[in-house]
């Protein structure tokens, strides 16, 4: 059983900016977090015309590579590490398309925990360092997506205290399942215990990634995850093994044929479901036990009438 103790309300949202800061995370690496993060950001910016900022704070900077391939961008003004060290995130903001900006990641971020320990005094100031910088620019955006490293250290602490909603991306493997439990039940609980009056982070849900839908062990992990977290806390769509998603990671995101449209329809449904979940958290304090998302853009493998109308401005 998982306990969601990160209380939010519509009154709190009324005080805060209307920007939503979303982190995709898991304690295990290689779960598809980066690809899904980029797809969320691009879908919201190009399909729904939301103003989006993507920040790459993963150590491998794969989302920077993926965005660079998508938008033919190879030169970035400043990496996230330099922005943090210079106390100015605006230095790294790069315009990719009409509604999408990004701050690039870099391998130097691996050592940023040491830098902040050496330069910033006090646990509180170190933990909220990134949030204070993000607060200066966040009102320019509707959504900010953060690609997080698979860790539980001061770098991730900085991300989580600045985050409104966490999407736990879980590959259907045993270690990833354990990582989801560790993230939700231990790590976030500890963070909340330390800074309960100053953080508003909530787990939006578990997004499952299945590599082989015919593999009985993977289906077993799906069943265990649903039983442990509760069906209402699992996103309706399961990201199954898609060659198209793998190609996006190698060559950049495209919008050229039916398969691309279906992929954008899938993430349009994930966005619609995310907003329904956020609405329930902020109006009722939790997800209803009987909550079920009804697909609007992709029903099984078939595009709905809404799905057939999807276009991705700046990609097609």
């Amino acid at each position: 059983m998982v306990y969601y103790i990160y209380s939010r309300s519509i009154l709190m949202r009324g005080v805060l900016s209307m920007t939503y800061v979303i982190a995709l995370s898991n304690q295990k690496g290689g779960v598809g977090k980066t690809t899904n993060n980029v797809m969320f950001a691009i879908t919201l910016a190009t399909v729904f015309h939301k103003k989006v900022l993507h920040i790459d704070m993963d150590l491998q900077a794969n989302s920077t590579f993926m965005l660079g391939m998508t938008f033919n961008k190879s030169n970035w003004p400043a990496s996230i590490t330099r922005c943090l060290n210079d106390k100015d995130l605006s230095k790294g903001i790069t315009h990719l398309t009409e509604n999408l900006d990004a701050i690039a990641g870099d391998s130097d971020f691996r050592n940023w925990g040491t830098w902040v320990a050496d330069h910033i005094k006090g646990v509180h100031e170190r933990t909220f360092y990134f949030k204070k910088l993000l607060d200066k620019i966040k009102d320019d955006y509707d959504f900010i997506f953060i690609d997080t490293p698979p860790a539980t250290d001061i770098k991730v602490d900085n991300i989580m205290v600045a985050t409104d909603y966490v999407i736990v991306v879980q590959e259907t493997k045993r270690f990833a399942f354990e990582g989801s439990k560790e993230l939700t039940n231990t790590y976030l609980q500890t963070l909340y215990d330390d800074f309960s009056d100053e953080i508003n982070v909530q787990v939006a849900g578990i997004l499952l990634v299945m590599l082989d839908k015919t593999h009985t062990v993977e289906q077993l992990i799906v069943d265990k995850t649903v039983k442990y977290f509760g069906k209402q806390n699992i996103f309706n769509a399961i990201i199954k093994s898609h060659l198209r998603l793998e190609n996006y990671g190698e060559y950049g995101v495209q919008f050229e044929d039916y398969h691309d449209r279906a992929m954008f329809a899938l993430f349009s449904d994930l966005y619609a479901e995310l907003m329904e979940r956020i609405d329930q958290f902020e109006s009722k304090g939790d997800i209803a036990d009987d909550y079920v998302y009804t697909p609007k853009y992709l029903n099984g493998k078939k595009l709905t009438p809404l799905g057939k109308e999807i276009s991705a401005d700046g990609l097609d």
Side-chain angles (χ1 to χ4, degrees), residues 42-50 255 264 268 297 310-313:
I42 291 178
T43 300
L44 267 64
T46 64
V47 177
F48 294 96
H49 309 114
K50 301 297 182 181
F255 192 89
F264 274 84
S268 295
Y297 299 90
I310 286 176
S311 63
D313 296 341

Side-chain angles (χ1 to χ4, degrees), residues 65-91:
F65 174 81
M66 189 172 173
L67 288 167
M69 292 294 293
T70 301
F71 297 102
N72 194 28
K73 177 70 64 174
S74 57
N75 296 317
W76 303 82
S79 69
I80 184 61
T81 308
R82 178 180 167 187
C83 290
L84 290 169
N85 293 355
D86 291 349
K87 302 181 180 181
D88 186 358
L89 295 181
S90 66
K91 285 185 175 182

Side-chain angles (χ1 to χ4, degrees), residues 227-244:
K227 182 178 180 180
Y228 182 83
F229 288 101
K231 186 175 181 180
Q232 75 276 16
N233 293 313
I234 311 296
F235 275 87
N236 173 74
I238 296 179
I239 310 295
K240 298 180 175 66
S241 178
H242 287 292
L243 179 60
R244 191 58 53 114

Side-chain angles (χ1 to χ4, degrees), residues 5 15 31 34 41 44 54 70 132 215 223 261 271 289 297 300:
I5 44 73
V15 174
V31 297
T34 292
L44 267 64
H54 181 281
T70 301
K132 290 180 178 179
H215 201 295
D223 296 339
R261 188 182 299 275
Y271 163 58
D289 290 341
Y297 299 90

